Amino acid sequence: MIRVENLVKKYGRLVVSNGLNCRFEEGKITVILGGSGSGKSTLLRQLTGLERSDSGCVYFDGVDLTCASKKKLYEKRKKMGMLFQGSALFNYLNIFENIAFPLREHTRIAENVIKTIVTMKLEMVGLRGTENLMPSQLSGGMTKRVGLARAIVMDPKVIFYDEPTSGLDPISTGVIDKLIKDLNTKLNITSVVVSHDIESCFRIADKIIILFSGDIIAQGTVEEIKNSKDLRVKQFINGEPEGPIPFTRTDKNYLDELLTG
Amino acid sequence: MKFDILAYIGRFTLKRVQVLGQSGVFLLVAFYQAFLPPFRIRRLLKEIEFIGSKSFLIVFVTGLFTGLVLGLQGYHTLTQFGAEALLGSAVALSIIRELGPVLCALMVTGRAGSAIASQIGIMKITDQFPALEMMAIDPVKYVISPKILAGIISLPLLTAVFDVVGIMGGYLVGVKLLGVNEGAYFGKMVTSVTFTDIYGGILKSLSFGLLIAWISSFMGFTADPTTEGVSAATTNAVVITSLSILIVDYILTSLLL
Ligand SMILES: Nc1ncnc2c1ncn2[C@@H]1O[C@H](COP(=O)(O)OP(=O)(O)OP(=O)(O)O)[C@@H](O)[C@H]1O
Ligand SMILES: [Mg+2]
Protein backbone atom coordinates (compact mmCIF):
# COMPACT_ATOMS: atom_id res chain seq x y z
CA MET A 1 0.00 0.00 0.00
CA ILE A 2 2.72 2.46 1.03
CA ARG A 3 6.36 1.97 0.15
CA VAL A 4 9.10 4.27 1.43
CA GLU A 5 12.46 4.39 -0.31
CA ASN A 6 15.58 6.15 0.96
CA LEU A 7 13.57 8.91 2.56
CA VAL A 8 15.65 11.81 3.86
CA LYS A 9 14.43 14.85 5.77
CA LYS A 10 16.53 17.45 7.52
CA TYR A 11 15.66 20.51 9.57
CA GLY A 12 18.77 22.62 9.19
CA ARG A 13 21.52 20.34 10.44
CA LEU A 14 19.20 18.04 12.35
CA VAL A 15 18.57 14.84 10.36
CA VAL A 16 15.04 13.71 11.19
CA SER A 17 14.72 10.95 8.58
CA ASN A 18 18.02 9.39 7.67
CA GLY A 19 17.38 7.37 4.49
CA LEU A 20 14.38 5.33 5.61
CA ASN A 21 13.22 2.19 3.80
CA CYS A 22 10.02 0.46 4.85
CA ARG A 23 6.62 -0.81 3.68
CA PHE A 24 3.12 -0.52 5.03
CA GLU A 25 1.14 -3.52 3.83
CA GLU A 26 -2.47 -3.29 2.74
CA GLY A 27 -4.96 -4.32 5.42
CA LYS A 28 -2.31 -4.50 8.13
CA ILE A 29 -1.67 -2.44 11.25
CA THR A 30 1.86 -1.09 11.28
CA VAL A 31 3.03 0.63 14.44
CA ILE A 32 5.89 3.13 14.39
CA LEU A 33 7.56 3.16 17.78
CA GLY A 34 10.22 5.53 19.00
CA GLY A 35 11.17 7.96 21.72
CA SER A 36 10.16 11.58 21.85
CA GLY A 37 11.77 13.57 19.06
CA SER A 38 12.84 10.48 17.12
CA GLY A 39 11.04 11.73 14.00
CA LYS A 40 7.78 9.76 14.15
CA SER A 41 5.41 12.63 13.45
CA THR A 42 7.73 13.91 10.75
CA LEU A 43 7.70 10.50 9.05
CA LEU A 44 3.91 10.47 9.23
CA ARG A 45 3.71 13.92 7.65
CA GLN A 46 5.93 12.74 4.83
CA LEU A 47 3.86 9.60 4.29
CA THR A 48 0.81 11.79 3.73
CA GLY A 49 2.59 14.37 1.59
CA LEU A 50 2.03 17.10 4.19
CA GLU A 51 5.75 17.69 4.39
CA ARG A 52 8.22 17.75 1.49
CA SER A 53 11.10 15.31 1.83
CA ASP A 54 14.63 16.34 0.93
CA SER A 55 15.12 13.20 -1.13
CA GLY A 56 13.68 9.71 -1.56
CA CYS A 57 10.20 8.53 -2.51
CA VAL A 58 6.91 7.65 -0.87
CA TYR A 59 4.74 5.44 -3.06
CA PHE A 60 1.10 5.49 -2.03
CA ASP A 61 -1.07 3.19 -4.14
CA GLY A 62 1.64 3.30 -6.81
CA VAL A 63 1.91 7.11 -6.94
CA ASP A 64 5.01 8.88 -5.68
CA LEU A 65 3.63 11.50 -3.30
CA THR A 66 6.93 13.37 -3.02
CA CYS A 67 6.61 14.61 -6.60
CA ALA A 68 2.87 14.24 -7.30
CA SER A 69 0.84 17.17 -8.63
CA LYS A 70 -1.54 18.83 -6.22
CA LYS A 71 -4.51 17.32 -8.02
CA LYS A 72 -3.11 13.77 -7.74
CA LEU A 73 -2.16 14.36 -4.14
CA TYR A 74 -5.65 15.56 -3.21
CA GLU A 75 -7.16 12.62 -5.04
CA LYS A 76 -5.09 10.25 -2.88
CA ARG A 77 -5.84 12.25 0.25
CA LYS A 78 -9.50 11.42 -0.13
CA LYS A 79 -8.52 7.85 0.67
CA MET A 80 -6.63 8.88 3.80
CA GLY A 81 -7.82 9.77 7.25
CA MET A 82 -5.58 11.23 9.90
CA LEU A 83 -5.73 11.65 13.63
CA PHE A 84 -3.32 14.43 14.58
CA GLN A 85 -1.23 14.39 17.74
CA GLY A 86 -3.10 17.45 18.99
CA SER A 87 -6.41 16.37 17.36
CA ALA A 88 -6.52 19.53 15.17
CA LEU A 89 -10.26 20.05 15.60
CA PHE A 90 -11.64 23.26 14.10
CA ASN A 91 -11.95 25.50 17.14
CA TYR A 92 -14.77 27.61 15.66
CA LEU A 93 -17.05 24.63 14.92
CA ASN A 94 -18.91 22.46 17.42
CA ILE A 95 -18.34 18.72 17.66
CA PHE A 96 -21.14 17.84 15.26
CA GLU A 97 -19.93 20.27 12.60
CA ASN A 98 -16.34 19.15 13.04
CA ILE A 99 -17.24 15.57 12.22
CA ALA A 100 -19.72 16.55 9.50
CA PHE A 101 -17.16 18.88 7.89
CA PRO A 102 -15.58 16.45 5.36
CA LEU A 103 -19.03 15.18 4.39
CA ARG A 104 -20.30 18.69 3.74
CA GLU A 105 -17.21 19.61 1.74
CA HIS A 106 -16.94 16.56 -0.46
CA THR A 107 -20.42 15.10 -0.77
CA ARG A 108 -23.98 16.20 -1.35
CA ILE A 109 -25.48 13.96 1.30
CA ALA A 110 -28.84 15.05 2.74
CA GLU A 111 -28.85 16.64 6.17
CA ASN A 112 -30.66 13.76 7.92
CA VAL A 113 -28.18 11.23 6.52
CA ILE A 114 -25.28 13.37 7.72
CA LYS A 115 -26.87 13.38 11.14
CA THR A 116 -27.11 9.59 11.12
CA ILE A 117 -23.50 9.15 10.02
CA VAL A 118 -22.17 11.58 12.61
CA THR A 119 -24.20 9.93 15.36
CA MET A 120 -22.83 6.52 14.36
CA LYS A 121 -19.24 7.71 14.39
CA LEU A 122 -19.70 9.43 17.74
CA GLU A 123 -21.19 6.23 19.14
CA MET A 124 -18.14 4.32 17.94
CA VAL A 125 -15.85 6.55 20.01
CA GLY A 126 -18.30 6.63 22.91
CA LEU A 127 -19.10 10.34 22.77
CA ARG A 128 -22.72 10.48 21.70
CA GLY A 129 -24.39 13.47 23.39
CA THR A 130 -21.48 15.88 22.93
CA GLU A 131 -22.69 17.09 19.52
CA ASN A 132 -23.36 20.66 20.59
CA LEU A 133 -20.24 21.23 22.68
CA MET A 134 -17.27 23.21 21.39
CA PRO A 135 -13.83 21.55 21.23
CA SER A 136 -12.57 23.78 24.05
CA GLN A 137 -15.20 22.28 26.36
CA LEU A 138 -13.81 18.75 26.01
CA SER A 139 -10.93 17.09 27.85
CA GLY A 140 -7.77 16.14 25.96
CA GLY A 141 -8.78 12.50 25.72
CA MET A 142 -12.24 13.39 24.47
CA THR A 143 -10.93 15.71 21.73
CA LYS A 144 -8.69 12.87 20.61
CA ARG A 145 -11.70 10.60 20.23
CA VAL A 146 -13.60 13.28 18.32
CA GLY A 147 -10.54 13.66 16.08
CA LEU A 148 -10.71 9.94 15.45
CA ALA A 149 -14.41 10.11 14.63
CA ARG A 150 -13.66 12.86 12.11
CA ALA A 151 -10.79 10.87 10.61
CA ILE A 152 -13.04 7.90 9.85
CA VAL A 153 -16.12 9.79 8.72
CA MET A 154 -15.30 9.52 5.01
CA ASP A 155 -14.54 5.78 5.31
CA PRO A 156 -10.89 6.07 4.25
CA LYS A 157 -8.77 3.15 3.05
CA VAL A 158 -5.77 4.15 5.11
CA ILE A 159 -5.82 5.80 8.52
CA PHE A 160 -2.82 7.48 10.09
CA TYR A 161 -2.89 7.80 13.86
CA ASP A 162 -0.42 10.09 15.62
CA GLU A 163 -0.32 8.86 19.21
CA PRO A 164 -4.00 7.87 19.43
CA THR A 165 -3.80 6.72 23.04
CA SER A 166 -1.35 9.08 24.71
CA GLY A 167 -3.05 11.02 27.46
CA LEU A 168 -5.98 8.61 27.68
CA ASP A 169 -7.12 6.63 30.70
CA PRO A 170 -6.70 2.82 30.54
CA ILE A 171 -10.33 2.18 29.57
CA SER A 172 -10.33 4.72 26.74
CA THR A 173 -6.99 3.31 25.61
CA GLY A 174 -8.57 -0.12 25.44
CA VAL A 175 -11.55 1.26 23.53
CA ILE A 176 -9.35 3.02 21.00
CA ASP A 177 -7.10 -0.02 20.57
CA LYS A 178 -10.15 -2.16 19.96
CA LEU A 179 -11.51 0.41 17.53
CA ILE A 180 -8.29 0.46 15.52
CA LYS A 181 -8.30 -3.32 15.46
CA ASP A 182 -11.99 -3.50 14.48
CA LEU A 183 -11.65 -0.95 11.68
CA ASN A 184 -8.74 -2.99 10.44
CA THR A 185 -10.33 -6.43 10.56
CA LYS A 186 -13.94 -5.57 9.64
CA LEU A 187 -13.35 -2.95 6.98
CA ASN A 188 -9.86 -4.04 5.97
CA ILE A 189 -8.51 -0.56 6.62
CA THR A 190 -4.74 -0.18 6.47
CA SER A 191 -3.52 1.49 9.63
CA VAL A 192 -0.32 3.36 10.42
CA VAL A 193 -0.05 4.07 14.13
CA VAL A 194 2.59 6.25 15.75
CA SER A 195 2.98 5.40 19.38
CA HIS A 196 5.28 5.07 22.33
CA ASP A 197 2.87 2.92 24.27
CA ILE A 198 4.60 -0.48 24.10
CA GLU A 199 1.74 -2.49 25.58
CA SER A 200 -0.97 -1.21 23.31
CA CYS A 201 1.47 -1.56 20.43
CA PHE A 202 1.95 -5.27 21.14
CA ARG A 203 -1.82 -5.68 21.38
CA ILE A 204 -2.67 -4.28 17.98
CA ALA A 205 0.40 -4.42 15.75
CA ASP A 206 0.86 -6.73 12.76
CA LYS A 207 4.22 -5.13 12.17
CA ILE A 208 6.42 -2.83 14.23
CA ILE A 209 8.96 -0.28 13.05
CA ILE A 210 11.26 1.20 15.67
CA LEU A 211 12.75 4.62 15.00
CA PHE A 212 15.70 6.04 16.84
CA SER A 213 16.95 9.55 16.05
CA GLY A 214 16.04 9.34 12.38
CA ASP A 215 17.05 5.73 11.74
CA ILE A 216 14.99 2.55 11.63
CA ILE A 217 16.75 0.32 14.14
CA ALA A 218 14.36 -2.62 13.83
CA GLN A 219 11.29 -3.75 11.95
CA GLY A 220 9.30 -6.96 12.08
CA THR A 221 6.37 -8.75 13.66
CA VAL A 222 5.58 -8.49 17.37
CA GLU A 223 7.35 -11.78 18.04
CA GLU A 224 10.45 -10.74 16.13
CA ILE A 225 10.66 -7.47 18.03
CA LYS A 226 10.10 -9.15 21.41
CA ASN A 227 12.88 -11.63 20.68
CA SER A 228 15.24 -9.06 19.19
CA LYS A 229 18.85 -9.31 20.32
CA ASP A 230 19.49 -5.61 19.57
CA LEU A 231 20.35 -3.87 22.83
CA ARG A 232 18.68 -0.61 21.79
CA VAL A 233 15.44 -2.43 20.99
CA LYS A 234 15.59 -4.30 24.28
CA GLN A 235 16.15 -1.09 26.18
CA PHE A 236 13.27 0.60 24.44
CA ILE A 237 10.65 -2.13 24.91
CA ASN A 238 11.64 -2.70 28.52
CA GLY A 239 11.79 1.02 29.24
CA GLU A 240 15.19 0.88 30.93
CA PRO A 241 16.74 4.23 31.81
CA GLU A 242 20.29 2.96 31.31
CA GLY A 243 21.49 1.54 28.01
CA PRO A 244 22.80 2.37 24.56
CA ILE A 245 20.03 4.93 23.96
CA PRO A 246 21.07 8.12 25.78
CA PHE A 247 18.39 10.14 27.55
CA THR A 248 20.00 13.54 26.97
CA ARG A 249 20.38 15.01 23.52
CA THR A 250 23.84 16.50 23.58
CA ASP A 251 27.18 14.76 23.34
CA LYS A 252 28.73 17.07 25.92
CA ASN A 253 29.77 15.39 29.10
CA TYR A 254 27.40 16.38 31.92
CA LEU A 255 30.13 16.81 34.51
CA ASP A 256 32.25 18.91 32.14
CA GLU A 257 29.32 21.15 31.37
CA LEU A 258 28.52 21.70 35.04
CA LEU A 259 32.13 22.46 35.91
CA THR A 260 32.81 24.83 33.03
CA GLY A 261 29.47 26.56 33.72
CA MET B 1 33.06 46.92 13.80
CA LYS B 2 32.06 49.02 10.81
CA PHE B 3 31.66 45.91 8.74
CA ASP B 4 29.50 44.30 11.40
CA ILE B 5 27.07 47.16 10.99
CA LEU B 6 27.15 46.86 7.22
CA ALA B 7 26.55 43.12 7.43
CA TYR B 8 23.72 43.75 9.83
CA ILE B 9 22.09 46.28 7.52
CA GLY B 10 22.53 43.87 4.62
CA ARG B 11 20.94 40.98 6.46
CA PHE B 12 18.13 43.18 7.72
CA THR B 13 17.35 44.45 4.22
CA LEU B 14 17.52 41.01 2.65
CA LYS B 15 15.13 39.67 5.27
CA ARG B 16 12.64 42.52 4.69
CA VAL B 17 12.77 42.14 0.92
CA GLN B 18 12.22 38.41 1.31
CA VAL B 19 9.18 38.92 3.54
CA LEU B 20 7.80 41.47 1.10
CA GLY B 21 8.18 38.98 -1.74
CA GLN B 22 6.56 36.20 0.27
CA SER B 23 3.59 38.37 1.15
CA GLY B 24 3.19 39.31 -2.51
CA VAL B 25 3.14 35.68 -3.57
CA PHE B 26 0.75 34.92 -0.73
CA LEU B 27 -1.68 37.56 -2.02
CA LEU B 28 -1.41 36.40 -5.62
CA VAL B 29 -2.09 32.79 -4.68
CA ALA B 30 -5.05 33.77 -2.50
CA PHE B 31 -6.50 35.83 -5.37
CA TYR B 32 -5.89 33.15 -7.95
CA GLN B 33 -7.56 30.55 -5.72
CA ALA B 34 -10.53 32.84 -5.13
CA PHE B 35 -11.43 32.74 -8.81
CA LEU B 36 -11.07 28.99 -9.26
CA PRO B 37 -14.13 26.80 -8.85
CA PRO B 38 -15.64 25.63 -6.56
CA PHE B 39 -16.74 29.08 -5.43
CA ARG B 40 -17.33 29.30 -1.74
CA ILE B 41 -20.18 31.81 -1.53
CA ARG B 42 -21.20 30.73 1.96
CA ARG B 43 -17.65 31.11 3.26
CA LEU B 44 -17.50 34.56 1.65
CA LEU B 45 -20.77 35.65 3.24
CA LYS B 46 -19.56 34.42 6.63
CA GLU B 47 -16.40 36.49 6.30
CA ILE B 48 -18.34 39.56 5.15
CA GLU B 49 -20.45 39.13 8.25
CA PHE B 50 -17.32 38.85 10.38
CA ILE B 51 -15.39 41.77 8.87
CA GLY B 52 -18.33 43.89 7.75
CA SER B 53 -21.52 43.48 9.75
CA LYS B 54 -19.76 43.05 13.06
CA SER B 55 -17.84 46.30 12.50
CA PHE B 56 -21.03 48.21 11.71
CA LEU B 57 -21.68 49.57 15.18
CA ILE B 58 -18.13 50.73 15.86
CA VAL B 59 -18.00 52.42 12.43
CA PHE B 60 -21.38 54.04 13.03
CA VAL B 61 -20.34 55.51 16.38
CA THR B 62 -16.96 56.67 15.06
CA GLY B 63 -18.63 58.30 12.07
CA LEU B 64 -21.21 60.02 14.22
CA PHE B 65 -18.70 61.55 16.61
CA THR B 66 -16.35 62.53 13.81
CA GLY B 67 -19.23 64.41 12.17
CA LEU B 68 -20.27 66.04 15.44
CA VAL B 69 -16.76 67.27 16.15
CA LEU B 70 -16.24 68.46 12.59
CA GLY B 71 -19.49 70.40 12.80
CA LEU B 72 -18.39 72.05 16.00
CA GLN B 73 -14.82 72.83 14.94
CA GLY B 74 -15.83 73.84 11.43
CA TYR B 75 -18.52 76.19 12.69
CA HIS B 76 -16.19 77.99 15.09
CA THR B 77 -13.49 78.41 12.46
CA LEU B 78 -15.82 79.41 9.64
CA THR B 79 -17.80 81.99 11.66
CA GLN B 80 -14.56 83.94 12.13
CA PHE B 81 -14.69 84.62 8.38
CA GLY B 82 -18.44 84.86 8.26
CA ALA B 83 -18.44 81.76 6.10
CA GLU B 84 -20.55 79.36 8.19
CA ALA B 85 -22.69 78.68 5.13
CA LEU B 86 -19.74 76.64 3.84
CA LEU B 87 -19.98 74.26 6.84
CA GLY B 88 -21.77 71.59 4.78
CA SER B 89 -19.11 71.39 2.10
CA ALA B 90 -16.27 71.53 4.63
CA VAL B 91 -17.70 68.61 6.60
CA ALA B 92 -18.59 66.59 3.51
CA LEU B 93 -15.29 67.09 1.73
CA SER B 94 -13.10 66.24 4.70
CA ILE B 95 -15.17 63.16 5.46
CA ILE B 96 -15.57 61.86 1.93
CA ARG B 97 -11.99 62.49 0.86
CA GLU B 98 -10.02 61.60 3.98
CA LEU B 99 -11.63 60.92 7.31
CA GLY B 100 -14.23 58.44 6.10
CA PRO B 101 -11.91 55.96 4.39
CA VAL B 102 -9.01 56.37 6.82
CA LEU B 103 -10.79 56.39 10.18
CA CYS B 104 -13.11 53.62 9.08
CA ALA B 105 -10.15 51.49 7.97
CA LEU B 106 -8.27 52.13 11.21
CA MET B 107 -11.29 51.11 13.29
CA VAL B 108 -11.78 47.94 11.25
CA THR B 109 -8.06 47.16 11.60
CA GLY B 110 -8.39 47.32 15.37
CA ARG B 111 -11.49 45.20 15.47
CA ALA B 112 -11.26 42.75 12.58
CA GLY B 113 -7.58 42.84 11.58
CA SER B 114 -6.40 41.71 14.99
CA ALA B 115 -9.10 39.03 15.09
CA ILE B 116 -8.11 37.72 11.65
CA ALA B 117 -4.44 37.48 12.61
CA SER B 118 -5.07 35.72 15.90
CA GLN B 119 -7.68 33.39 14.42
CA ILE B 120 -5.35 32.28 11.63
CA GLY B 121 -2.43 32.02 14.05
CA ILE B 122 -4.45 29.76 16.33
CA MET B 123 -5.46 27.59 13.39
CA LYS B 124 -1.79 27.31 12.57
CA ILE B 125 -0.50 26.29 16.00
CA THR B 126 -3.24 23.69 16.43
CA ASP B 127 -2.50 21.96 13.09
CA GLN B 128 -5.82 22.96 11.53
CA PHE B 129 -4.19 23.78 8.19
CA PRO B 130 -2.66 20.31 7.78
CA ALA B 131 -6.02 18.92 8.90
CA LEU B 132 -7.67 20.75 5.98
CA GLU B 133 -4.92 19.50 3.68
CA MET B 134 -5.62 15.93 4.78
CA MET B 135 -9.26 16.40 3.83
CA ALA B 136 -8.12 17.43 0.36
CA ILE B 137 -9.15 21.05 0.95
CA ASP B 138 -6.74 23.84 0.04
CA PRO B 139 -6.24 25.88 3.24
CA VAL B 140 -5.43 29.12 1.40
CA LYS B 141 -8.51 28.83 -0.76
CA TYR B 142 -10.70 27.84 2.15
CA VAL B 143 -9.46 30.23 4.83
CA ILE B 144 -7.56 33.12 3.24
CA SER B 145 -9.23 33.89 -0.11
CA PRO B 146 -12.69 34.57 1.36
CA LYS B 147 -11.15 36.91 3.94
CA ILE B 148 -9.39 38.97 1.28
CA LEU B 149 -12.49 39.24 -0.89
CA ALA B 150 -14.58 40.09 2.16
CA GLY B 151 -12.16 42.87 3.10
CA ILE B 152 -12.40 44.40 -0.37
CA ILE B 153 -16.19 44.17 -0.38
CA SER B 154 -16.84 45.30 3.20
CA LEU B 155 -14.67 48.38 3.49
CA PRO B 156 -16.34 50.54 0.79
CA LEU B 157 -19.75 49.72 2.28
CA LEU B 158 -18.62 50.55 5.80
CA THR B 159 -17.02 53.74 4.54
CA ALA B 160 -20.29 54.72 2.87
CA VAL B 161 -22.03 54.26 6.20
CA PHE B 162 -19.33 56.31 7.93
CA ASP B 163 -19.69 59.11 5.35
CA VAL B 164 -23.47 59.34 5.64
CA VAL B 165 -23.48 59.18 9.43
CA GLY B 166 -20.64 61.71 9.62
CA ILE B 167 -22.42 64.18 7.38
CA MET B 168 -25.57 63.77 9.46
CA GLY B 169 -23.49 64.37 12.59
CA GLY B 170 -22.24 67.64 11.14
CA TYR B 171 -25.81 68.49 10.26
CA LEU B 172 -27.01 67.83 13.81
CA VAL B 173 -24.43 70.14 15.35
CA GLY B 174 -24.29 72.76 12.60
CA VAL B 175 -27.95 73.10 11.67
CA LYS B 176 -29.91 71.86 14.66
CA LEU B 177 -27.64 73.08 17.43
CA LEU B 178 -25.79 76.10 16.09
CA GLY B 179 -28.37 77.35 13.60
CA VAL B 180 -26.62 77.16 10.25
CA ASN B 181 -29.15 77.46 7.41
CA GLU B 182 -30.30 73.97 6.39
CA GLY B 183 -30.53 74.82 2.69
CA ALA B 184 -27.00 76.23 2.74
CA TYR B 185 -25.60 73.18 4.54
CA PHE B 186 -26.80 70.73 1.91
CA GLY B 187 -26.84 73.12 -1.06
CA LYS B 188 -23.16 74.05 -0.80
CA MET B 189 -22.35 70.40 -0.23
CA VAL B 190 -24.00 69.35 -3.50
CA THR B 191 -22.15 71.96 -5.53
CA SER B 192 -18.71 71.44 -4.01
CA VAL B 193 -18.49 67.63 -3.80
CA THR B 194 -17.52 66.25 -7.20
CA PHE B 195 -17.63 62.71 -8.50
CA THR B 196 -13.85 62.61 -8.36
CA ASP B 197 -14.07 63.01 -4.60
CA ILE B 198 -16.49 60.12 -4.33
CA TYR B 199 -14.51 57.85 -6.66
CA GLY B 200 -11.36 58.75 -4.76
CA GLY B 201 -13.00 57.79 -1.48
CA ILE B 202 -14.17 54.48 -2.91
CA LEU B 203 -10.75 53.74 -4.36
CA LYS B 204 -9.15 54.42 -1.02
CA SER B 205 -11.53 52.23 0.90
CA LEU B 206 -11.07 49.39 -1.60
CA SER B 207 -7.31 49.57 -1.15
CA PHE B 208 -7.59 49.76 2.64
CA GLY B 209 -9.92 46.75 2.68
CA LEU B 210 -7.36 44.79 0.71
CA LEU B 211 -4.53 45.95 3.00
CA ILE B 212 -6.35 44.97 6.19
CA ALA B 213 -7.27 41.47 5.04
CA TRP B 214 -3.98 40.84 3.31
CA ILE B 215 -1.56 41.98 6.03
CA SER B 216 -3.55 40.49 8.90
CA SER B 217 -3.90 37.12 7.16
CA PHE B 218 -0.26 37.07 6.20
CA MET B 219 0.85 37.87 9.74
CA GLY B 220 -1.30 35.07 11.14
CA PHE B 221 -0.25 32.62 8.45
CA THR B 222 3.47 33.19 8.99
CA ALA B 223 3.30 33.45 12.78
CA ASP B 224 5.77 31.38 14.78
CA PRO B 225 3.85 28.27 15.82
CA THR B 226 3.91 29.20 19.49
CA THR B 227 1.63 31.23 21.75
CA GLU B 228 4.15 34.12 21.78
CA GLY B 229 4.29 33.93 17.99
CA VAL B 230 0.53 34.36 17.69
CA SER B 231 0.34 37.29 20.07
CA ALA B 232 3.25 38.98 18.30
CA ALA B 233 1.54 38.39 14.96
CA THR B 234 -1.66 40.00 16.26
CA THR B 235 0.17 43.09 17.47
CA ASN B 236 2.20 43.34 14.27
CA ALA B 237 -0.91 42.96 12.16
CA VAL B 238 -2.51 46.01 13.79
CA VAL B 239 0.63 48.16 13.79
CA ILE B 240 1.76 47.36 10.25
CA THR B 241 -1.73 47.59 8.78
CA SER B 242 -2.39 50.97 10.43
CA LEU B 243 0.91 52.41 9.21
CA SER B 244 0.38 51.03 5.71
CA ILE B 245 -3.07 52.61 5.61
CA LEU B 246 -1.64 56.04 6.42
CA ILE B 247 1.19 55.68 3.90
CA VAL B 248 -1.04 54.38 1.12
CA ASP B 249 -3.49 57.15 1.92
CA TYR B 250 -0.78 59.74 1.29
CA ILE B 251 0.25 58.08 -1.97
CA LEU B 252 -3.31 57.79 -3.26
CA THR B 253 -4.13 61.35 -2.26
CA SER B 254 -1.11 62.71 -4.11
CA LEU B 255 -2.12 60.73 -7.19
CA LEU B 256 -5.75 61.81 -7.04
CA LEU B 257 -5.28 65.53 -6.49
N1 LIG C 1 9.14 22.42 11.72
C1 LIG C 1 10.26 22.02 12.34
N2 LIG C 1 11.37 22.79 12.30
C2 LIG C 1 12.51 22.40 12.90
N3 LIG C 1 12.64 21.24 13.59
C3 LIG C 1 11.57 20.43 13.68
C4 LIG C 1 10.32 20.78 13.06
N4 LIG C 1 9.43 19.79 13.32
C5 LIG C 1 10.10 18.87 14.05
N5 LIG C 1 11.37 19.26 14.28
C6 LIG C 1 12.39 18.49 15.02
O1 LIG C 1 12.45 17.20 14.45
C7 LIG C 1 12.59 16.22 15.45
C8 LIG C 1 11.52 15.15 15.28
O2 LIG C 1 10.25 15.72 15.54
P1 LIG C 1 8.93 14.85 15.53
O3 LIG C 1 7.79 15.77 15.80
O4 LIG C 1 8.87 14.04 14.29
O5 LIG C 1 9.17 13.90 16.79
P2 LIG C 1 8.23 12.74 17.35
O6 LIG C 1 8.96 11.47 17.17
O7 LIG C 1 6.87 12.83 16.77
O8 LIG C 1 8.18 13.10 18.91
P3 LIG C 1 6.93 13.01 19.93
O9 LIG C 1 6.82 11.59 20.36
O10 LIG C 1 7.34 13.88 21.07
O11 LIG C 1 5.72 13.52 19.21
C9 LIG C 1 12.54 16.92 16.79
O12 LIG C 1 13.85 16.99 17.30
C10 LIG C 1 12.03 18.29 16.48
O13 LIG C 1 12.68 19.24 17.28
MG1 LIG D 1 4.98 13.41 17.40
Side-chain angles (χ1 to χ4, degrees), chain A:
Chain A
M1 192 74 197
I2 310 176
R3 200 169 79 240
V4 174
E5 286 178 3
N6 297 320
L7 200 66
V8 177
K9 174 78 192 173
K10 297 177 187 144
Y11 286 119
R13 281 173 42 225
L14 180 73
V15 183
V16 191
S17 303
N18 189 12
L20 305 180
N21 286 290
C22 51
R23 303 169 75 95
F24 300 86
E25 308 292 342
E26 184 154 2
K28 292 270 158 53
I29 299 177
T30 309
V31 179
I32 304 172
L33 276 178
S36 212
S38 56
K40 305 182 299 290
S41 298
T42 310
L43 174 58
L44 212 55
R45 285 205 297 276
Q46 293 178 86
L47 291 181
T48 51
L50 284 176
E51 188 120 34
R52 290 275 158 203
S53 313
D54 292 326
S55 68
C57 309
V58 175
Y59 292 99
F60 182 97
D61 242 357
V63 174
D64 185 357
L65 295 185
T66 56
C67 54
S69 69
K70 189 169 149 189
K71 195 158 162 257
K72 260 251 143 44
L73 190 58
Y74 276 12
E75 204 177 283
K76 293 294 173 199
R77 289 255 177 79
K78 290 186 183 161
K79 297 181 185 166
M80 307 178 190
M82 178 145 174
L83 172 60
F84 285 84
Q85 193 163 359
S87 304
L89 298 181
F90 300 121
N91 58 336
Y92 53 93
L93 296 177
N94 66 17
I95 301 307
F96 182 91
E97 289 303 324
N98 258 289
I99 300 175
F101 186 86
L103 295 171
R104 293 202 198 286
E105 287 299 319
H106 290 304
T107 66
R108 302 209 165 277
I109 298 177
E111 190 56 37
N112 56 344
V113 183
I114 289 185
K115 186 150 192 314
T116 313
I117 297 176
V118 172
T119 309
M120 275 166 52
K121 303 295 173 187
L122 273 175
E123 173 67 22
M124 282 173 88
V125 297
L127 284 176
R128 214 154 36 80
T130 59
E131 285 88 345
N132 295 320
L133 297 179
M134 297 304 282
S136 56
Q137 293 172 292
L138 299 185
S139 74
M142 288 158 92
T143 45
K144 201 149 251 184
R145 281 143 72 192
V146 176
L148 181 53
R150 189 180 65 179
I152 57 178
V153 77
M154 294 289 285
D155 298 324
K157 281 173 67 181
V158 183
I159 306 182
F160 299 89
Y161 304 86
D162 198 346
E163 306 200 358
T165 57
S166 69
L168 295 191
D169 62 89
I171 296 175
S172 309
T173 303
V175 170
I176 298 283
D177 281 350
K178 186 166 177 306
L179 200 61
I180 295 176
K181 197 86 196 162
D182 280 353
L183 286 169
N184 171 251
T185 46
K186 289 185 188 148
L187 303 173
N188 200 33
I189 292 176
T190 310
S191 307
V192 179
V193 186
V194 160
S195 170
H196 38 216
D197 184 342
I198 311 278
E199 274 178 44
S200 94
C201 164
F202 285 162
R203 269 203 300 271
I204 59 173
D206 292 312
K207 180 183 172 185
I208 298 175
I209 295 176
I210 302 187
L211 273 183
F212 170 61
S213 68
D215 287 304
I216 294 179
I217 56 170
Q219 47 182 322
T221 61
V222 175
E223 285 309 308
E224 283 165 5
I225 294 294
K226 275 184 178 164
N227 299 327
S228 169
K229 295 273 177 292
D230 190 315
L231 289 174
R232 294 173 299 180
V233 176
K234 278 193 163 164
Q235 186 197 349
F236 191 81
I237 59 178
N238 295 326
E240 291 157 3
E242 302 287 335
I245 302 181
F247 178 62
T248 49
R249 302 204 44 171
T250 106
D251 300 330
K252 274 194 229 156
N253 189 296
Y254 183 44
L255 199 59
D256 287 350
E257 195 166 345
L258 284 181
L259 291 177
T260 54

